[in-house]
Amino acid sequence: MIIGIVPGIIVENGVVSSYEDRAVSIRSITVKNQCDILCNQIVKEGYLDDPSSETLNGEFTMLSNLYSGRILVIDRNFRVIKDTYDLDRGKYMISAEVLNCFNGEEISNYDDNNRYIEMTVKIEAPNSDDVLGVMLVSISTDEIVAGMDVLEKKGMLLVIIIALLVLVLGYILSGVLVRPFARVTKSIEDLTDGYLEENISVPDYTETELITDAFNKMLARVKALDDSRQEFVSNVSHELKTPLTSMKVLADSLVGQENVPIELYQEFMQDITEEIDRENKIITDLLSLVKLDKKAADLNIETVNINNLLELILKRLKPIAAKNHIELILESFRPVNAEIDEVKLTLAISNLVENAIKYNTENGWVRVSLNADHKYFYVTVADSGIGIPEDSINHIFERFYRVDKSHSREIGGTGLGLAITRSAIVMHRGAIKVYSKEHEGTTFSVRIPLIYIA
Ligand SMILES: Nc1ncnc2c1ncn2[C@@H]1O[C@H](COP(=O)(O)OP(=O)(O)O)[C@@H](O)[C@H]1O
Ligand SMILES: [Mg+2]
């Protein structure tokens, strides 16, 4: 808007003031020419000695009327011999301008405050530079100024018209340009009210299509996150409720009976204790999972001897393995020291070894091996167990996922172990892979950088 109006005003001012300059200079030149002609006549008719010439006086009057000005003729003695206003005749006029003119320097000044042009014209002797007298002329420029006012008004009108045009055009254009984005905003707002249910679509403009595409991609991610969060919450509630339901059933059946034998009491109480243990285990696992979901900055990185770490894990799990008649083997191919969070990595590997023991067969084996290259160390946990069906293998890292719910329950899992393991390994910028064949066995292989990358 300003871009349209400001130049308009500047141009208008420029036009008006240059008109003024030109009009004044044309007027000055015209008057000067007339005066020069008069000067010639003055000399010719000897007007300076005898100012009674009818013709010349008539011409002076005409000239001064024509330009609404005043003409003074001054002779060599600085005496005013003619004044068209008849005020100063006979008086002496010794001003700087007149003096200068006698010295050959004519002037032509424009006084734009009082609106008149003042000029001096020398009356020269023919064929010589002798200055015989001076004509002092002042003419009004009211007319020019009046013309300028008209011009200025017209210019102003033009500027106002331009400004209005710019305003209207600007309004229309900005509407056209902004409309697509306003529609996108509106769509997004509609969506926020309805929350995540559908995609937005403003396909009428290329620009908006790009924006909406990007927005829809982001939306899809948010939806996925939201879905997994909801699923997690419902899983958690379900898992936490199951032991409670069992306890309630057990307790109810005791309360509902009279004269319950002490043996039954003991048996049911035993079952209730087991359920409590289970509930406790689920909560413990959930808490470690939540802890692992936090920022990687929470890692407590130290240089740890991995051989020792694995030995300790196996030692701790040996009793469970022995109970199931399972052989635990550790193979270390070289000494390995790495920068890791000892507690979290112990948790991760323990879960793998625990699974290998739990999902094994009678008289089976579990082999844990450690190797390293210049960049990573590798831990594999292989077992001779029941294996994982092919269609389940992609799900085993999901929270609460268990291949065989009833069987696993008997074994006493929560379905959170592998989720915890994977989180811990990912926090170490590592990777985990699984190979398995049903009824033959399973191998988990873990790769972790020797030097922690923050
Ligand atoms: N070594 C393994 N052999 C066979 N199946 C396994 C093995 N490790 C894990 N699984 C399967 O993956 C599921 C998820 O394991 P995990 O997350 O540790 O939960 P859980 O608490 O049931 O052990 C288990 O329920 C089991 O079905
Ligand atoms: Mg487990």
Side-chain angles (χ1 to χ4, degrees):
M1 204 102 43
I2 289 167
I3 294 171
I5 295 170
V6 170
I9 293 174
I10 292 172
V11 166
E12 194 239 343
N13 273 333
V15 166
V16 170
S17 77
S18 84
Y19 165 79
E20 185 181 8
D21 290 347
R22 254 190 80 69
V24 166
S25 86
I26 288 174
R27 176 65 48 95
S28 305
I29 290 168
T30 324
V31 172
K32 166 91 164 92
N33 284 341
Q34 305 260 24
C35 289
D36 282 342
I37 295 166
L38 282 177
C39 285
N40 278 336
Q41 261 175 295
I42 288 171
V43 176
K44 233 189 248 162
E45 298 194 10
Y47 187 84
L48 287 172
D49 298 324
D50 174 17
S52 60
S53 161
E54 289 276 327
T55 16
L56 268 171
N57 281 336
E59 292 212 29
F60 284 136
T61 315
M62 211 176 72
L63 193 65
S64 62
N65 284 342
L66 190 60
Y67 295 114
S68 39
R70 181 183 185 185
I71 301 169
L72 298 176
V73 180
I74 299 155
D75 72 6
R76 218 192 205 117
N77 305 318
F78 302 106
R79 210 161 58 94
V80 178
I81 58 166
K82 170 72 187 172
D83 175 1
T84 50
Y85 279 15
D86 270 340
L87 293 173
D88 291 336
R89 187 140 56 114
K91 290 185 184 157
Y92 288 90
M93 170 78 75
I94 313 173
S95 66
E97 293 89 28
V98 174
L99 271 171
N100 282 339
C101 193
F102 273 112
N103 290 330
E105 203 177 295
E106 292 180 334
I107 55 145
S108 169
N109 287 333
Y110 174 48
D111 181 339
D112 59 354
N113 285 328
N114 300 316
R115 296 176 178 179
Y116 70 91
I117 303 170
E118 190 183 52
M119 57 169 82
T120 53
V121 183
K122 48 194 178 184
I123 306 168
E124 280 173 316
N127 309 326
S128 84
D129 284 346
D130 248 8
V131 180
L132 305 174
V134 166
M135 263 176 87
L136 184 63
V137 183
S138 46
I139 47 175
S140 159
T141 58
D142 277 348
E143 218 181 299
I144 293 175
V145 172
M148 240 164 68
D149 279 352
V150 172
L151 199 71
E152 210 161 287
K153 276 195 191 107
K154 277 188 183 158
M156 209 55 216
L157 199 71
L158 210 71
V159 166
I160 288 170
I161 291 171
I162 290 174
L164 281 176
L165 271 176
V166 165
L167 262 168
V168 171
L169 219 77
Y171 182 76
I172 294 171
L173 256 172
S174 69
V176 169
L177 291 177
V178 166
R179 196 179 310 136
F181 297 99
R183 290 195 52 183
V184 172
T185 314
K186 173 106 177 40
S187 300
I188 293 176
E189 269 165 11
D190 288 351
L191 199 76
T192 321
D193 295 341
Y195 194 56
L196 295 184
E197 283 323 313
E198 63 227 53
N199 283 349
I200 62 167
S201 159
V202 186
D204 354 5
Y205 312 91
T206 328
E207 306 88 328
T208 55
E209 223 179 318
L210 292 175
I211 295 177
T212 51
D213 278 358
F215 183 81
N216 284 336
K217 268 184 206 148
M218 191 195 80
L219 205 64
R221 269 189 64 88
V222 174
K223 268 182 207 161
L225 271 175
D226 193 53
D227 286 351
S228 93
R229 185 186 58 87
Q230 272 179 9
E231 197 191 304
F232 181 60
V233 170
S234 82
N235 283 344
V236 168
S237 333
H238 176 78
E239 297 295 329
L240 290 178
K241 259 183 100 165
T242 317
L244 280 180
T245 315
S246 307
M247 283 188 264
K248 169 94 171 129
V249 170
L250 290 165
D252 274 352
S253 59
L254 285 182
V255 171
Q257 286 181 54
E258 271 172 46
N259 305 322
V260 187
I262 184 86
E263 291 80 20
L264 199 66
Y265 250 114
Q266 271 173 345
E267 195 194 320
F268 278 24
M269 274 311 185
Q270 184 86 41
D271 291 348
I272 289 177
T273 315
E274 267 167 31
E275 293 299 332
I276 290 174
D277 285 345
R278 191 172 152 65
E279 181 96 43
N280 197 18
K281 178 140 178 46
I282 295 173
I283 291 171
T284 314
D285 280 2
L286 271 175
L287 284 179
S288 25
L289 196 65
V290 170
K291 260 189 218 151
L292 285 168
D293 273 351
K294 283 207 215 137
K295 288 274 160 295
D298 293 345
L299 280 181
N300 179 21
I301 299 291
E302 287 167 314
T303 303
V304 176
N305 181 286
I306 308 295
N307 308 69
N308 289 346
L309 183 125
L310 290 181
E311 230 165 86
L312 217 77
I313 291 172
L314 291 201
K315 198 170 144 195
R316 227 179 278 153
L317 292 173
K318 203 136 226 161
I320 313 176
K323 210 168 79 189
N324 296 314
H325 308 288
I326 286 161
E327 190 187 3
L328 267 186
I329 308 150
L330 175 63
E331 286 178 326
S332 290
F333 290 97
R334 64 189 76 230
V336 177
N337 289 295
E339 293 176 7
I340 52 146
D341 181 320
E342 189 170 359
V343 175
K344 294 196 169 87
L345 199 73
T346 303
L347 189 63
I349 308 283
S350 296
N351 278 338
L352 292 180
V353 180
E354 223 174 282
N355 281 348
I357 297 168
K358 278 197 311 194
Y359 304 105
N360 219 316
T361 47
E362 192 79 11
N363 301 317
W365 49 259
V366 174
R367 181 176 287 124
V368 179
S369 72
L370 171 65
N371 206 343
D373 56 24
H374 62 290
K375 242 177 139 178
Y376 301 99
F377 69 90
Y378 305 86
V379 178
T380 57
V381 180
D383 65 57
S384 60
I386 58 175
I388 302 165
E390 224 177 287
D391 52 341
S392 294
I393 212 144
N394 287 326
H395 299 288
I396 52 168
F397 292 106
E398 290 167 13
R399 297 149 169 175
F400 296 115
Y401 185 86
R402 274 166 284 168
V403 174
D404 178 353
K405 291 243 168 197
S406 55
H407 185 66
S408 298
R409 220 173 118 56
E410 195 179 291
I411 298 173
T414 61
L416 291 171
L418 285 179
I420 292 171
T421 298
R422 194 177 54 176
S423 285
I425 288 167
V426 167
M427 275 179 105
H428 284 87
R429 312 257 182 263
I432 179 165
K433 279 192 193 136
V434 56
Y435 311 92
S436 186
K437 204 149 199 196
E438 254 193 300
H439 312 301
E440 284 182 24
T442 307
T443 302
F444 283 94
S445 74
V446 175
R447 185 194 75 186
I448 289 175
L450 290 168
I451 292 170
Y452 176 71
I453 315 151

